[in-house]
């Protein structure tokens, strides 16, 4: 359940500019999550990394239950991209702080991914909700 909720929260943070533009009263709720943005991003990114192993390990399931495998693949993609974008400040602070070249390379990757932030944010919301529905029904 926690995985689905964190994926939804990360998706809301990633798509927050679009959400607030359409629903200005949502800003207050989103502002309450912003202080935890980096940690939510790191958790999502780590789940995405471990999820890659899971998706690769369950490729045999693809022919039996393609929709389940596809949900996992989309979840991994959303967690990796949104997690990296949201958690980059903390990742660079704690993991890349001694390597200037790695920080520059990470920032370049983040800048390229920023144009996908809102679509992947909505993807994260969708797969988080689907995850909760599939697990609890």
């Amino acid at each position: 359940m926690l995985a689905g909720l964190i994926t939804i929260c990360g998706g809301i943070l990633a798509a927050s500019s679009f959400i607030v533009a359409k629903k200005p009263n949502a800003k207050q709720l989103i502002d309450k999550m912003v202080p935890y943005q980096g940690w939510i991003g790191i958790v999502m990114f780590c789940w995405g990394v471990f999820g890659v192993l899971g998706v690769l390990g369950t490729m045999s399931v693809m022919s039996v239950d393609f929709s389940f495998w596809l949900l996992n693949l989309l979840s991994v993609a959303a967690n990796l991209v949104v997690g990296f974008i949201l958690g980059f400040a903390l990742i660079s602070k704690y993991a890349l702080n001694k390597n200037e070249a790695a920080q520059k390379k990470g920032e370049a990757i983040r800048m390229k991914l920023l144009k996908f932030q809102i679509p992947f944010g909505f993807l994260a919301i969708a797969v988080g909700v689907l995850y909760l529905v599939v697990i609890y029904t």
Side-chain angles (χ1 to χ4, degrees):
M1 181 170 176
L2 185 61
L5 293 175
I6 287 184
T7 301
I8 292 167
C9 288
I12 290 169
L13 286 168
S16 63
S17 63
F18 183 87
I19 294 169
V20 170
K22 296 292 182 188
K23 286 245 179 213
N25 59 346
K27 185 173 179 2
Q28 292 173 320
L29 178 63
I30 292 171
D31 285 345
K32 291 179 182 178
M33 292 189 297
V34 168
Y36 308 104
Q37 174 176 312
W39 293 109
I40 290 170
I42 287 176
V43 169
M44 287 179 73
F45 185 73
C46 290
W47 275 335
V49 169
F50 288 116
V52 168
L53 300 174
V55 166
L56 293 175
T58 59
M59 286 189 74
S60 61
V61 176
M62 187 170 37
S63 62
V64 177
D65 191 358
F66 181 74
S67 59
F68 176 75
W69 185 84
L70 183 62
L71 177 62
N72 281 335
L73 179 66
L74 293 173
S75 176
V76 166
N79 281 325
L80 281 172
V81 172
V82 172
F84 184 79
I85 291 169
L86 296 180
F88 183 75
L90 290 178
I91 292 170
S92 66
K93 179 179 178 181
Y94 293 114
L96 306 175
N97 63 347
K98 294 180 181 161
N99 190 337
E100 184 88 18
Q103 275 186 328
K104 287 182 181 180
K105 178 90 169 166
E107 183 61 30
I109 293 169
R110 188 182 78 80
M111 293 306 290
K112 289 178 183 176
L113 290 175
L114 278 178
K115 60 184 164 193
F116 302 110
Q117 179 174 341
I118 292 173
F120 272 93
F122 283 115
L123 177 64
I125 294 168
V127 296
V129 169
L130 281 172
Y131 178 81
L132 292 176
V133 169
V134 167
I135 296 298
Y136 291 103
T137 56

